[in-house]
Amino acid sequence: MTTATVALVGDRSPSVQAHTRIPGLLAALHERDGLTLDAYWIPTTDADDLTGFDAIWMLPGSPYRSEAGAVNAARTAREHGIPFLGTCGGFQHTMLEYARNVLGLAVAHAENDPDAEDFLLVPLECSLAGHEDEVRLTPGSLAERIVGAERTTERYSCNFGLNAAYLPRLEAGGLRFTGRDGAGAVRILELPDHPFFLATLFQPELAGDGTRPHPIIAAFAAAAVAHAARVPVS
């Protein structure tokens, strides 16, 4: 049985519900799905070299201690073809990384740098913290294939989202947004031509009672194991 090493990027805290569910989700992935992940918590302050991992999961819990570390986690996965999942704050910082390093935009996250001049991530008009909402998935997308339906109801714990003024530039620059709420606000992004690169504003860690991994988490784990199986150990 192949074991995949996974970097859990985030500033671990018992007050973050998504973090407390990780041990149970890892156990369930092994017992229910036969997917074994050797997971290491990596604080954002230490996320400078993640190339040796089979997968990177940027977890909720923003504001992160190091914006630079969070951005680097997404960049490492994108540039090195490492399976990647970003959830909540991970979704936000994935867009920040792409806007800065691929599109060359001098943009900021309002939660991290409220005095900046130009914001990619801004406070949501209505906070989603503690809410559930329907997400509509693009037919034929990776997200739709994973979930197996064109609509899903997901749980959130966030207060920031994409500045819609930047959506056309991100799409033109190569990001694919494959999940939206009823008003059209983006909730899932994918990166085409990457082995597995997916990020969600919602938190799949919070699905159900935590004993059955969300399909997105199971698909990410499968991608991690597949990556480990084909990468020779030096």
Side-chain angles (χ1 to χ4, degrees), residues 180-202:
R180 299 171 185 255
D181 72 359
V186 296
R187 299 293 183 250
I188 303 175
L189 68 81
E190 303 175 12
L191 186 60
D193 303 320
H194 188 284
F196 188 100
F197 195 99
L198 185 71
T200 69
L201 186 62
F202 57 85

Side-chain angles (χ1 to χ4, degrees), residues 5-13 16 18-19 22 39-51 53 55-77 82-91 93-94 205 220:
T5 58
V6 178
L8 303 176
V9 178
D11 305 311
R12 191 176 188 179
S13 170
V16 178
H19 294 186
I22 294 300
Y40 296 82
W41 281 92
I42 309 294
T44 54
T45 51
D46 296 336
D48 53 341
D49 184 7
L50 304 175
T51 56
F53 288 94
I56 298 170
W57 184 352
M58 197 188 325
L59 290 157
S62 60
Y64 298 124
R65 293 174 192 161
S66 171
E67 177 186 274
V71 167
N72 184 65
R75 182 173 190 168
T76 299
I82 299 171
F84 175 82
L85 176 61
T87 53
C88 195
F91 173 85
H93 287 74
T94 298
E205 301 90 348
F220 166 72

Side-chain angles (χ1 to χ4, degrees), residues 211-229:
T211 61
R212 180 188 291 271
H214 189 288
I216 286 176
I217 294 175
F220 166 72
V225 170
H227 185 269

